[in-house]
């Protein structure tokens, strides 16, 4: 795999991104025989038939086909410091999408190595890998160029507009799922050519959203029929089935994967996750300058008073106090101050990724077969 010597964001061609109309939402009654995800396969009943000149529509069609082979419609969410090659690979082998922030590779050379390894695993696994580009990062353009040369079928963009990379990935045949927290942001992402959307809702771990997931999908489905992913509150397969009924096509799960055998999380972090209830999650801006769900026990363990945190802090100041630039002057976010979502309610023990996905799959199948 080689990369351009001077990677730059491409100019984004104008396209009718409103034409993404191939992947509708459904409760599972429309699933094809043998399709555990309910997403359909190839050019099934949920897809527009015939050729299309719209790049976004073609990508949505291809993405549906790729996702139809998953065990269940679930993405192991990309998590800073947590989602590494081992965790991503385990998710792929368990039959779901394993996502990871490209930042976790630490360097472009490291990312190239990660992508080479994941390419090989994806060739024989039933799951897929999905890089997450943090658009605000200085290395996003270089990372995007490397991803475009890989066998990735989908990519996630966050912390910024997907516009700089939609053209590049359309040429590479890679679907772009844009992480959004408001209806206004969702509209902008669709206009920028995103293939699908990830709706960041109340209860998601780390930097989170604040909208109710049912209200959010209702608003988005008024103008977008493409792939939509629910992020926030996935405690198990029943939650996943509920998301499908509500109109989502897939869902994110992050917090449950922190407490797995393949996760690089410390034993203290895993113990906090398994012991926590949803009441142990604090929504605070103190550590990032943005609303973030953090674990109260880790805040107290760092010697901080949750009631005395600075909720007016700016992101730059938060980075100086709690980011890598803190240089040991205080506890570091993510490393010492741990994040988690409301889905800690469904995590009570550390298990393998395979066992966790199997539990999700069993609950999902039971929920879909349950009469309403």
């Amino acid at each position: 795999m080689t990369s351009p010597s001077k990677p730059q964001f491409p100019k984004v061609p104008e396209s009718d991104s409103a034409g993404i109309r191939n992947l509708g939402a459904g409760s599972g009654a429309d699933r094809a025989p043998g399709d555990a995800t309910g997403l359909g396969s190839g050019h099934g009943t949920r897809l527009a038939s015939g050729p299309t000149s719209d790049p976004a529509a073609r990508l949505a069609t291809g993405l549906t086909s790729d996702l139809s082979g998953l065990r269940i419609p679930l993405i192991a969410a990309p998590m800073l410091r947590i989602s590494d090659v081992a965790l991503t690979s385990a998710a792929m082998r368990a039959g779901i999408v394993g996502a990871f922030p490209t930042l976790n590779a630490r360097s472009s050379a490291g990312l190239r190595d990660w992508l080479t390894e994941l390419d090989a695993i994806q060739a024989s696994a039933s799951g897929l890998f999905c890089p997450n580009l943090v658009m605000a990062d200085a290395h996003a353009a270089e990372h995007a160029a490397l991803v475009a040369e890989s066998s990735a079928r989908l990519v996630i963009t966050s912390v910024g507009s997907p516009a700089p990379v939609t053209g590049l990935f359309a040429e590479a045949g890679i679907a772009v799922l844009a992480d959004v927290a408001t209806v206004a942001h969702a509209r902008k992402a669709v206009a920028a050519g995103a293939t699908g959307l990830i709706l960041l809702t109340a209860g998601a771990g780390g930097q989170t959203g604040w909208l109710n997931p049912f209200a959010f999908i209702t608003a988005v489905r008024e103008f977008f029929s493409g792939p939509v992913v629910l992020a926030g509150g996935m405690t198990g397969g029943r939650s996943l089935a509920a998301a499908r009924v509500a109109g989502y096509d897939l869902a994110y799960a992050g917090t449950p994967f922190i407490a797995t055998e393949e996760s690089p999380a410390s034993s203290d972090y895993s113990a906090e996750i398994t012991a926590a209830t949803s009441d142990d999650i604090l929504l605070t801006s103190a550590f990032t300058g943005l609303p973030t769900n953090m674990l109260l026990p880790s805040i107290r363990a760092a010697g901080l008073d949750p009631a005395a945190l600075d909720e007016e802090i700016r992101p730059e100041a938060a980075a100086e106090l709690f980011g890598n630039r803190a240089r040991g002057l205080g506890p570091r976010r993510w490393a010492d101050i741990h994040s988690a979502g409301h889905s800690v309610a469904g995590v009570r023990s550390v298990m393998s990724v395979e066992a966790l996905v199997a539990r999700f799959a069993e609950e999902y199948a039971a929920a879909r077969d349950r009469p309403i």
Side-chain angles (χ1 to χ4, degrees), residues 180-186 198-204 208-220 223 230-233 248 283 291 293 342:
V180 298
T182 69
V183 177
H185 287 160
I198 297 168
L199 306 191
L200 198 58
T201 69
T208 188
W210 49 88
L211 288 176
N212 175 281
F214 301 114
F216 205 170
I217 187 63
T218 298
V220 167
F223 60 88
L230 168 59
Y248 294 91
L283 180 61
N293 277 323
H342 292 177

Side-chain angles (χ1 to χ4, degrees), residues 239-328:
S239 301
L240 183 56
R244 293 278 295 139
V245 171
Y248 294 91
D249 297 286
L250 301 98
Y252 255 17
T255 297
F257 287 91
I258 297 172
T260 57
E261 295 169 359
E262 294 86 352
S263 167
S266 67
S267 57
D268 288 344
Y269 192 179
S270 292
E272 288 173 354
I273 294 285
T274 58
T277 71
S278 295
D279 287 343
D280 291 313
I281 305 302
L282 177 68
L283 180 61
T284 176
S285 297
F287 303 107
T288 66
L290 298 169
T292 308
N293 277 323
M294 307 297 270
L295 277 163
L296 279 168
S298 69
I299 296 173
R300 297 190 181 104
L304 301 176
D305 179 2
L309 298 175
D310 181 4
E311 297 296 344
E312 304 299 324
I313 195 169
R314 302 294 299 169
E316 297 78 10
E320 291 292 339
L321 286 175
F322 303 109
N324 290 332
R325 288 176 287 176
R327 299 182 184 278

Side-chain angles (χ1 to χ4, degrees), residues 91-192:
M92 294 164 64
R93 291 188 173 107
I96 64 171
V97 177
F100 65 95
T102 57
L103 289 173
N104 283 3
R106 302 296 182 185
S107 68
S108 293
L111 177 59
R112 185 181 294 109
D113 291 340
W114 280 30
L115 292 171
T116 299
E117 183 173 351
L118 294 171
D119 281 346
I121 294 169
Q122 183 170 270
S124 59
S126 58
L128 304 170
F129 73 87
C130 177
N132 167 210
L133 290 171
V134 178
M135 300 304 295
D137 180 66
H139 301 288
E142 188 171 0
H143 288 185
L146 291 171
V147 171
E149 295 174 351
S150 75
S151 64
R153 304 302 305 142
L154 66 164
V155 67
I156 294 165
T157 61
S158 59
V159 196
S161 171
V165 297
T166 51
L168 172 69
F169 289 132
E171 291 181 5
I174 299 174
V176 176
L177 304 180
D179 184 316
V180 298
T182 69
V183 177
H185 287 160
R187 289 184 180 276
K188 290 179 180 179
V190 172

